[in-house]
Amino acid sequence: MERVVVVGAGIGGLAAAIRLQQAGYQVELFEKEPQVGGKMNRITEEGFTFDVGPTIVMMPKLYREVFELAGRNPDDYIPMTPVEPLMDISFSSDERVQLSNNLAEIVSTLEAVGEKDAQGYLEYLALLYKRYLIAKDNFLQRSFRGPGDFYNPKSLLAGIRLHTLGDAYSSVAKHVQDDRLRKSLAFQTFYIGISPYEGPSLYMIIPMIELLYGVWYMPGGMYAFADGMRRLFEERGGQVHTSTPVERIAIENGRATGVVVDGTLHAADAVVCGADFPYAMKHLVSDERARGSYTDKAIDAMKYSCSCFILYLGLDKRYPTEAIHSIRFASDFEKNIADIFEAERFPEDPSFYLYAPSSVDPDLAPEGMQTLYVLVPVPALPAEDEMSDACRWHDEDVAAYRERVLDLVERETAYSDVRDHIVFEKAYTPLDFAERFNAYRGATFGLRPTLFQSNYWRPHNKAKQCEGLYFCGSSVHPGAGVPIVLLSARLAVEELMADDHAS
Ligand SMILES: Cc1cc2nc3c(=O)[nH]c(=O)nc-3n(C[C@H](O)[C@H](O)[C@H](O)COP(=O)(O)OP(=O)(O)OC[C@H]3O[C@@H](n4cnc5c(N)ncnc54)[C@H](O)[C@@H]3O)c2cc1C
């Protein structure tokens, strides 16, 4: 193989393109949007700069690896500093906890609640680390092709050892008694769009990695990573075609032969698809045989993660709060989760996450001003043929949800008069994620990692029924979240190279 085309310049597509380039392939990258990064995007307007999607840098080693493998110093592209505090958490207007990024500080916060809870927390961390090592060696860093890769004694035993973990909340609850601490240590499953009460799943370990490896910040925000990858790829001769949607993946005689763009075939020896897997199968792969079991019906029957409603606010005031990341918990958290995942409606009393990086990065806003990003987890959209007018997030719905959320922001967080200081504002709904980035059903974290959509049962990095076609991204193995999508890019490229060397 010589020429490889990559579809989509999200984190998965960019990382795959760099790895392929490093391995000596001639790589071309096609992206439908004017900017690279996919959900890791950026809004720059009226002097304000916002990250669109991801904001929390976990497992920095995996970010750095992309630059290191190309012989570059990651600090020249993505210098990072640890974040302190890790998270400011509010349970009501007068009940707050600050979680530090520093273990010694966390222990003293926990001791203030009780020594037994401090001890339980440390035991929980040790258990988490043990499970993480099992997951890393047996599932996260290896791909699956045939049943023999999964149905073997070693993998099955590892699977059993992981699945004894239960859901995130009850797993924490076995070690920590205080309900506020339980929630503070379990909500991280939201980072991959699943409920803390859902399980068991090895994927619940992933977001909790922040408790082991800490949380980091890159000057310029998270978009610095997407931009750094684009720069690296182009510096080394790679071509990125932005505002260039791929119409379909060309397949002949059971083999991918390139992509069709604006009616023209761009031939290649292999295709790596970083566009969301369910969308790609439905809309980019028209060859029925190549789709195998992923028919339209099967894709619609799969389970999807939640989505997000986000307000990006430019404020003409700098609030005196140090926390970059904060969470506000609903007073009835279980009902909040049920609204999203069972009733599938905008939560009556929503939990939300705030991101305010201006305290460490003043360049993101004009002098004396700041940005505030308010994220509310909400249900994904219905399947395409069940979409009705009621699901279309009309302006009046968005305005009502905005009021509901800003009431709570003012009542229960440090931003007590925020509405008086909004000078710029934009909102993203699940429809924006669906329409801009082709996130199927607007599910911001892709396929939900249920038991039967995980590991061997999650879509593989190599197409089962088509040669020369590989997948990376949130909806394929190993799953969602920036570090894990970076692993999916590594696995997709390893699969491609294994086929190339075997031929
Ligand atoms: C609001 C939000 C908050 C998040 N917070 C965090 C966080 O704090 N930390 C974390 O680690 N993760 C977080 N995540 C998850 C993380 O952002 C994603 O898992 C990751 O960015 C997904 O990358 P991807 O490459 O799989 O997909 P995408 O970013 O969706 O990339 C796919 C790309 O393909 C392009 N594309 C689609 N169709 C076509 C086509 N036909 N032709 C050409 N191009 C096409 C899209 O435009 C897009 O650029 C968050 C996600 C969201 C949405």
Side-chain angles (χ1 to χ4, degrees), residues 10-20 66 225 229 485-486 489-490 493:
I11 291 316
L14 281 165
I18 290 169
R19 285 180 176 276
L20 289 161
V66 181
F225 182 51
M229 285 203 288
V485 169
L486 291 174
R490 190 205 284 176
V493 172

Side-chain angles (χ1 to χ4, degrees), residues 7-13 30-33 37-40 52-58 63 191 222 244-247 274-276 279 284 308 310 373 375 433 436-438 444-445 472-474 480-483 485:
V7 182
I11 291 316
F30 291 90
E31 165 57 47
K32 75 179 272 288
E33 287 294 293
K39 295 176 200 106
M40 185 186 280
V52 166
T55 56
I56 301 176
V57 182
M58 288 180 275
Y63 286 67
Y191 298 172
M222 199 75 154
T244 312
V246 165
E247 283 158 21
D276 194 28
Y279 150 81
L284 299 182
C308 301
I310 308 177
Y373 157 130
L375 180 156
F433 289 102
R436 284 170 201 251
F437 310 119
N438 285 334
T444 37
F445 307 90
C472 56
S474 330
V482 176
V485 169

